[in-house]
Amino acid sequence: MGNRFLRLTIFISIAITLFSFWDHHLVGYLKDFIVFIHEIGHAVAALLTGGSVHAIELHGNESGETIAIPNSGTGSFIFVVSAGYLGSCLIGGFLLNRGFSGKMIRPTLISFGAILLLMTISYSKPGNLAQYTGILWGLGFVLLGFFNLKFNRFVLVFIGTSITLYSLYDLLDFTGNIAYTDAGIMATWITGANPTQGIPKSVIVLGYLIALLWSFFSLSIIFVSVKKVFQSGISEPELPQDENFFQLSEDGNTEAPFPGEVTPEVMEWFFNKGLDLNGKPLPAEFLEKEES
């Protein structure tokens, strides 16, 4: 994956494939996993702010729920609610970066899988879809990391692309259930509206504005995560220069030195004549350096 055009082609191909088979039942398992990552973002944010997490649940209809109590304070609530989408994009961007760069593939897979297993065991309810999803995907990543298969890089790229694209797509999913989306929940909290009495227009407008703001930050996270990887071209390996090799021309071409053992007397004779060990004239810069 050294060619950035190839990387971009792979990224676009994965995106087109996902959109083409978006409603296929097999993609449903991937959607459940991404929703689980989204809910983990909420849970981790709650823990980081000193709050507590009671449960992570998946409902099987591309929706989930994190039952958490954030620390008291306006900042904590905003951080926890925002962490679902922004955290997903951060994770997806990191996996994309590792996959395209080819660095620390095994530690990334093993660590990612271990975190999934830890969060699943700690906060998912027995028998809930979240438990099955977290255990199966977590074990899968850990096993891939231990076996060090050749396609592990592609796995990271595929999962990273899927998480980031789905997070951006889901940000604008307000149809019929705006009060239950993260942006809608925050808009309702800010306006103080009561969802049971109908959703006022102010909540809808503010919800869209919040979603657009999150989209901007999400795109920024993805851009920063993959910018360095896509900008890096093919690095040409530098050939080691032996100290007995001579630069014979200004364009940097090298030739093999005089064959066999060269005594100091023979070398001095060649240099006094202004020749290299192959009998060719030495560059003017070399002669000026010797005279000085």
Side-chain angles (χ1 to χ4, degrees):
M1 294 187 186
N3 190 298
R4 59 183 176 182
F5 177 76
L6 176 61
R7 299 171 187 172
L8 183 60
T9 302
I10 293 174
F11 181 82
I12 295 176
S13 299
I14 294 174
I16 294 175
T17 302
L18 287 173
F19 285 125
S20 300
F21 296 93
W22 193 250
D23 295 325
H24 196 279
H25 69 278
L26 291 178
V27 182
Y29 298 107
L30 179 63
K31 293 178 182 178
D32 290 335
F33 166 69
I34 297 173
V35 173
F36 186 63
I37 296 297
H38 176 102
E39 300 304 328
I40 286 179
H42 290 306
V44 171
L47 295 174
L48 290 176
T49 56
S52 59
V53 178
H54 294 281
I56 296 176
E57 299 180 3
L58 296 181
H59 302 316
N61 57 349
E62 299 183 34
S63 66
E65 182 179 7
T66 299
I67 304 174
I69 302 177
N71 192 14
S72 60
T74 302
S76 298
F77 180 83
I78 295 176
F79 179 67
V80 172
V81 176
S82 304
Y85 291 112
L86 299 184
S88 296
C89 286
L90 187 62
I91 293 173
F94 175 76
L95 296 180
L96 266 175
N97 182 279
R98 295 299 88 189
F100 277 128
S101 65
K103 298 177 181 178
M104 301 182 67
I105 300 297
R106 295 184 64 189
T108 300
L109 285 169
I110 295 174
S111 301
F112 186 47
I115 292 173
L116 290 176
L117 291 173
L118 178 62
M119 297 298 292
T120 302
I121 295 172
S122 301
Y123 302 113
S124 66
K125 292 183 177 181
N128 185 263
L129 180 60
Q131 184 183 51
Y132 301 130
T133 301
I135 290 178
L136 291 177
W137 283 89
L139 285 176
F141 287 125
V142 171
L143 291 176
L144 284 175
F146 276 118
F147 284 111
N148 193 25
L149 302 177
K150 293 183 178 180
F151 58 82
N152 281 355
R153 290 181 63 180
F154 179 78
V155 171
L156 287 180
V157 172
F158 178 80
I159 296 299
T161 304
S162 303
I163 293 175
T164 52
L165 291 180
Y166 185 83
S167 298
L168 292 174
Y169 164 82
D170 198 46
L171 270 171
L172 300 178
D173 183 21
F174 292 115
T175 306
N177 60 348
I178 183 173
Y180 301 101
T181 63
D182 292 344
I185 291 173
M186 182 175 290
T188 302
W189 175 76
I190 292 175
T191 59
N194 187 354
T196 60
Q197 299 178 356
I199 302 174
K201 189 175 181 179
S202 59
V203 172
I204 298 176
V205 174
L206 184 58
Y208 273 107
L209 292 177
I210 293 173
L212 289 175
L213 181 63
W214 284 348
S215 298
F216 171 77
F217 284 119
S218 298
L219 289 172
S220 300
I221 291 172
I222 298 171
F223 177 76
V224 172
S225 300
V226 301
K227 176 183 177 182
K228 185 176 181 181
V229 177
F230 276 104
Q231 282 186 340
S232 61
I234 303 176
S235 58
E236 297 291 341
E238 295 183 0
L239 296 176
Q241 297 292 333
D242 189 87
E243 60 182 0
N244 292 326
F245 278 46
F246 293 90
Q247 299 290 337
L248 301 179
S249 62
E250 295 181 358
D251 60 359
N253 294 328
T254 59
E255 292 186 20
F258 187 86
E261 183 179 356
V262 180
T263 63
E265 292 79 7
V266 173
M267 185 179 296
E268 183 178 0
W269 185 89
F270 272 88
F271 287 170
N272 289 336
K273 297 294 184 179
L275 303 174
D276 63 14
L277 297 181
N278 291 307
K280 294 184 178 181
L282 290 170
E285 296 83 358
F286 185 88
L287 294 176
E288 292 174 359
K289 186 181 296 185
E290 287 293 315
E291 291 175 359
S292 61

